[in-house]
């Protein structure tokens, strides 16, 4: 029996998107698994999705008054220096009151002020970078923190080489065993076991290009005899539901947000997805044949870089955002019909999975505390 760990006090900071929040929660869950008495506090940005998602996962969160710099001149930009100063001051108070043994930053607005304050007090600190192209907050923090856990090799161009640890991205543990959940998944979504299912996910906030491409090709998908699980994001769900009604589409399940992603993966034969770091890590663990549509609206086009890491290993297919209207549905239908290609992609994507990412990050964290 491994010796139980003493309780730790840890602050986890960051958020803004599911790609930051879910790894943060996975790290917290793993810490609780090895040290159940540990106290964990999250620090996020007021008004961002972490303020609801983190409490749903069972953790306490405190919000900072912080946002990112806009590329154009806005009132938000003028208030940015005041937000940073206010957030650093509040972060110092949070740290003084909570007295953490260590802090973790996962990227996003809130991790900057919190980790700046923590490192100023020489508290052991670690950041986790999900993408193949490092985010600005993490690049700025890298010189100050003790360790940088990354999901991709060759990250020395962004971070000091001596601080790097290749861990992969932590994902929700329920994604690990989706192969066993197919029957439960079909029941959950009310799907037919004799038909193939295409799963469409545009990230936690939805993806306009993917939604429009699926809407335009929906009749084609249904005529080909496939079922569809479609996560649209909040903004597009009324249009998706109206289309579903208009076509009397019995084989479409449209949701603004899917809480049971494990069951969505379990039901899917083919997945259409953005190429955010978290989505890619989940696809690798779920072992699903995928058509990736990288978002063009991200820093340094990092989603294309994420996708190419798979495409070069023949572990996924790529359709560029600008070509999605024309090529996405035909590419997905061709993949759904080609079982040999599905098997090839599946075998290659599974090789790229890093199922122990959360455990490896928590081990690094505990070593820092010790």
């Amino acid at each position: 029996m491994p010796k139980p760990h003493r309780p730790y006090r840890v602050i986890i900071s960051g958020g803004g998107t599911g790609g930051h929040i879910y790894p943060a929660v996975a790290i917290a869950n793993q810490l609780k698994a090895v040290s159940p008495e540990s106290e964990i506090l999250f620090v996020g940005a007021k008004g961002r999705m972490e303020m609801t998602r983190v409490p749903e996962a069972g953790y306490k969160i405190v919000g900072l008054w912080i946002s990112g710099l806009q590329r154009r001149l806005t009132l938000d930009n003028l208030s940015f220096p005041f937000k940073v100063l206010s957030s650093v001051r509040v972060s110092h108070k949070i740290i003084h009151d909570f007295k953490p043994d260590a802090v973790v930053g996962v990227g996003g607005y809130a991790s900057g002020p919190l980790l700046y304050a923590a490192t100023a007090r020489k508290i052991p600190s670690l950041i986790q970078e999900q993408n193949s192209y490092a985010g600005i907050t993490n690049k700025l923090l890298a010189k100050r923190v003790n360790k940088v856990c990354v999901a991709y090799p060759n990250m020395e161009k962004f971070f000091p080489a001596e601080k790097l640890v290749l861990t992969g991205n932590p994902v929700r543990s329920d994604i690990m065993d989706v192969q066993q959940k197919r029957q439960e998944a079909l029941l959950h979504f009310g799907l037919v076991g004799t038909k193939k299912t295409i799963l469409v996910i545009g990230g936690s906030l939805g993806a306009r290009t993917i939604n429009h491409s699926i809407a335009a090709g929906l009749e084609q998908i249904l005529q080909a005899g496939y079922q569809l699980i479609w996560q649209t994001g909040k903004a597009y769900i009324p249009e998706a539901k109206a289309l579903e009604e208009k076509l009397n589409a019995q084989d479409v399940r449209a949701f603004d947000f899917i809480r049971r992603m494990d069951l969505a993966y379990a039901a899917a034969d083919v997945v259409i997805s953005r190429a955010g770091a978290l989505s890619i890590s989940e696809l690798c663990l779920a072992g699903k044949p995928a058509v990736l549509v990288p978002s063009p609206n991200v820093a340094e086009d990092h989603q294309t870089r994420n996708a190419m890491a798979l495409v070069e290993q023949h572990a996924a297919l790529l359709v560029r955002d600008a070509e999605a209207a024309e090529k996405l549905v035909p590419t997905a239908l061709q993949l759904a019909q080609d079982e040999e290609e599905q098997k090839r992609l599946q075998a290659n994507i599974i090789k790229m999975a890093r199922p122990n990412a959360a455990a490896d990050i928590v081990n690094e964290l505990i070593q820092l505390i010790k």
Side-chain angles (χ1 to χ4, degrees):
M1 278 278 291
K3 194 176 156 196
H5 289 274
R6 72 166 176 86
Y8 303 109
R9 297 180 68 78
V10 173
I11 295 177
I12 302 177
S13 183
T17 66
H20 293 310
I21 297 160
Y22 297 124
V25 170
I27 293 167
N29 290 345
Q30 177 62 24
L31 182 59
K32 280 286 197 181
V34 299
S35 173
E37 301 301 311
S38 287
E39 292 283 324
I40 300 167
L41 175 68
F42 279 76
V43 175
K46 285 180 179 174
R48 302 293 289 186
M49 66 186 287
E50 59 265 28
M51 300 308 292
T52 52
R53 295 278 182 261
V54 167
E56 282 171 7
Y59 295 100
K60 188 182 171 193
I61 187 166
V62 178
L64 300 177
W65 181 49
I66 189 73
S67 60
L69 270 170
Q70 307 299 311
R71 290 185 181 181
R72 59 194 189 285
L73 188 63
T74 64
L75 281 174
D76 259 3
N77 278 359
L78 296 176
S79 65
F80 182 72
F82 302 101
K83 288 181 176 181
V84 171
L85 290 170
S86 160
S87 294
V88 170
R89 186 175 48 77
V90 174
S91 293
H92 274 292
K93 184 172 187 329
I94 290 168
I95 289 163
H96 174 269
D97 293 347
F98 189 76
K99 298 179 177 54
D101 296 308
V103 295
V104 177
V106 293
Y109 311 137
S111 65
L114 194 284
L115 270 90
Y116 180 87
T119 51
R121 291 166 173 253
K122 301 283 186 280
I123 292 166
S125 55
L126 174 156
I127 53 177
Q128 196 259 330
E129 174 56 58
Q130 297 93 26
N131 288 295
S132 57
Y133 192 94
I136 189 164
T137 305
N138 280 348
K139 281 194 279 191
L140 291 171
L141 290 169
K143 289 190 179 77
R144 300 177 67 91
V145 300
N146 303 94
K147 285 279 178 194
V148 182
C149 293
V150 293
Y152 291 88
N154 309 316
M155 296 295 281
E156 297 82 0
K157 53 186 177 283
F158 306 113
F159 302 122
E162 70 279 5
K163 295 183 180 182
L164 286 177
V165 188
L166 181 61
T167 57
N169 280 323
V171 301
R172 295 165 285 197
S173 56
D174 57 7
I175 305 290
M176 308 268 186
D177 56 350
V178 297
Q179 317 303 342
Q180 321 312 303
K181 297 181 180 177
R182 187 164 171 82
Q183 282 313 115
E184 185 190 348
L186 293 172
L187 203 63
H188 179 82
F189 290 106
L191 297 171
V192 180
T194 51
K195 288 186 178 182
K196 284 193 175 168
T197 303
I198 297 171
L199 167 65
V200 180
I201 38 177
S204 50
L205 304 172
R208 187 187 289 114
T209 307
I210 293 179
N211 285 335
H212 287 169
S213 303
I214 294 299
L218 190 57
E219 276 189 88
Q220 212 181 334
I221 293 167
L222 296 173
Q223 280 165 9
Y226 296 112
Q227 302 172 125
L228 190 71
I229 302 173
W230 184 8
Q231 180 177 278
T232 64
K234 205 171 276 184
Y236 199 78
I237 192 70
E239 288 174 65
K241 288 288 185 191
L243 188 60
E244 205 180 317
E245 204 171 306
K246 180 186 162 193
L247 294 175
N248 190 25
Q250 306 296 319
D251 290 333
V252 176
R253 305 288 180 271
F255 306 93
D256 59 341
F257 182 77
I258 299 172
R259 296 202 184 283
R260 290 298 304 271
M261 273 310 298
D262 58 324
L263 296 184
Y265 285 123
D269 295 285
V270 166
V271 181
I272 294 170
S273 176
R274 281 300 198 201
L278 183 71
S279 299
I280 285 192
S281 297
E282 289 186 349
L283 286 166
C284 290
L285 279 172
K288 292 293 167 176
V291 181
L292 300 174
V293 188
S295 170
N297 311 312
V298 293
E300 305 295 336
D301 197 22
H302 70 247
Q303 286 206 5
T304 298
R305 295 166 195 241
N306 292 348
M308 288 309 296
L310 269 66
V311 173
E312 284 161 7
Q313 301 298 318
H314 197 74
L317 304 181
L318 175 90
V319 171
R320 296 194 181 275
D321 191 84
E323 300 173 330
E326 182 191 340
K327 294 184 177 176
L328 180 57
V329 168
T331 303
L333 290 177
Q334 193 176 344
L335 178 58
Q337 284 152 18
D338 188 343
E339 293 196 0
E340 284 309 306
E341 176 73 340
Q342 286 174 41
K343 282 175 191 163
R344 265 194 300 275
L345 292 175
Q346 206 162 8
N348 290 331
I349 202 169
I350 284 170
K351 288 179 199 162
M352 301 183 78
R354 289 185 172 269
N356 301 319
D360 292 344
I361 292 166
V362 166
N363 286 341
E364 292 294 332
L365 187 66
I366 290 168
Q367 291 310 313
L368 284 181
I369 295 170
K370 285 178 176 174

